[in-house]
Amino acid sequence: MESGVSEDAVSGHIQVIIPGETACFACVPPLVVASGIDERTLKREGVCAASLPTTMGIVAGLLVQNTLKCLLEFGQVTRYLGYSSLKDFFPTMDIKPNPGCVNGLCCKMQQAYQQQQATPAAQQKKQAAAQAAALQEEEAAAHTENEWGIEVVPESSGADAQQQHGTSSTAQQHNKASNALYDHSLPEGLQYSLPVTDRDGHQHHEPDSTADHAESTVEDLMSQLNAL
């Protein structure tokens, strides 16, 4: 297990290295190393690389969690998991070893792994794992409960029934929407401020309870206020 944080301290990664099966350090070296650039030329005098405890803490937590899953054999061990704090992006992938790796030991381990995978026992193990994964997907897709009574019927046998059911259902929905459109009943105490239209297109004005108050003059209101 290995991990690292970028020099700008805003991204990092964790990686599982299995000799011959996954990439080693020399298979996928950092860009600076692969380009043959002297790292000392990238650093300014008296200035160290950026350091963010939050990024380092997140990467360290991911590394420890992945290590526990590998040692205690639970969950799925991630071969490679990246982290970009600028966009909260967590890319994951499986990095294969480089056949042209400069590390001779890595190339020997790759050949040994390929030979081991070509054995009948390894092929049977791979097929069993694929069947178990397919069975697990089928079990996950199956629903033990069917609260709404949903069922799948053949298209040929259920086409007519579906068409009839669709026609009646459409008519019921239309009538329901039409009734809701012209149902202007309101709870007690509420009224419309604008005229409402009935099913025949006639407009009706709701009685305005504020009309009596509008007819009162300022003198009447002042006398009512003084009487309080």
Side-chain angles (χ1 to χ4, degrees):
M1 298 282 182
E2 72 91 14
S3 66
V5 178
S6 61
E7 290 190 357
D8 57 5
V10 295
S11 62
H13 75 278
I14 65 172
Q15 183 179 355
V16 177
I17 298 179
I18 305 176
E21 185 176 352
T22 63
C24 69
F25 287 107
C27 288
V28 197
L31 180 60
V32 175
V33 178
S35 304
I37 302 175
D38 188 0
E39 295 187 34
R40 292 174 296 180
T41 61
L42 302 177
K43 298 181 180 179
R44 293 179 293 177
E45 189 67 24
V47 179
C48 64
S51 175
L52 280 179
T54 51
T55 304
M56 295 181 178
I58 292 173
V59 174
L62 294 173
L63 177 64
V64 173
Q65 182 77 352
N66 209 38
T67 304
L68 289 176
K69 289 193 293 184
C70 179
L71 296 177
L72 302 180
E73 297 181 354
F74 73 92
Q76 179 179 355
V77 179
T78 304
R79 298 292 183 89
Y80 178 91
L81 177 64
Y83 169 61
S84 174
S85 63
L86 297 181
K87 296 184 177 180
D88 291 335
F89 181 51
F90 292 85
T92 179
M93 63 191 73
D94 192 1
I95 303 179
K96 299 296 183 180
N98 182 9
C101 181
V102 296
N103 189 338
L105 181 60
C106 178
C107 294
K108 292 181 181 179
M109 296 299 295
Q110 292 182 42
Q111 295 177 0
Y113 175 74
Q114 292 175 0
Q115 293 175 0
Q116 187 270 336
Q117 290 295 308
T119 59
Q123 294 292 334
Q124 293 178 0
K125 185 177 180 180
K126 185 183 297 184
Q127 293 178 359
Q131 292 176 358
L135 181 61
Q136 185 176 4
E137 291 181 358
E138 291 180 359
E139 292 178 353
H143 299 282
T144 57
E145 299 180 358
N146 191 4
E147 180 180 359
W148 306 104
I150 300 175
E151 59 182 16
V152 179
V153 297
E155 184 177 357
S156 58
S157 61
D160 297 337
Q162 183 178 4
Q163 184 177 3
Q164 295 177 359
H165 176 72
T167 303
S168 61
S169 177
T170 303
Q172 293 176 359
Q173 292 178 359
H174 177 73
N175 293 334
K176 185 177 181 181
S178 178
N179 294 333
L181 179 62
Y182 294 103
D183 185 10
H184 302 297
S185 59
L186 292 177
E188 183 179 358
L190 298 180
Q191 63 182 18
Y192 290 101
S193 60
L194 297 177
V196 295
T197 304
D198 58 11
R199 189 182 298 271
D200 298 329
H202 301 123
Q203 291 186 351
H204 300 275
H205 295 268
E206 293 289 331
D208 191 357
S209 60
T210 61
D212 297 338
H213 298 287
E215 296 177 356
S216 300
T217 62
V218 177
E219 290 77 7
D220 296 336
L221 295 176
M222 290 297 295
S223 61
Q224 293 178 10
L225 182 61
N226 295 329
L228 295 178

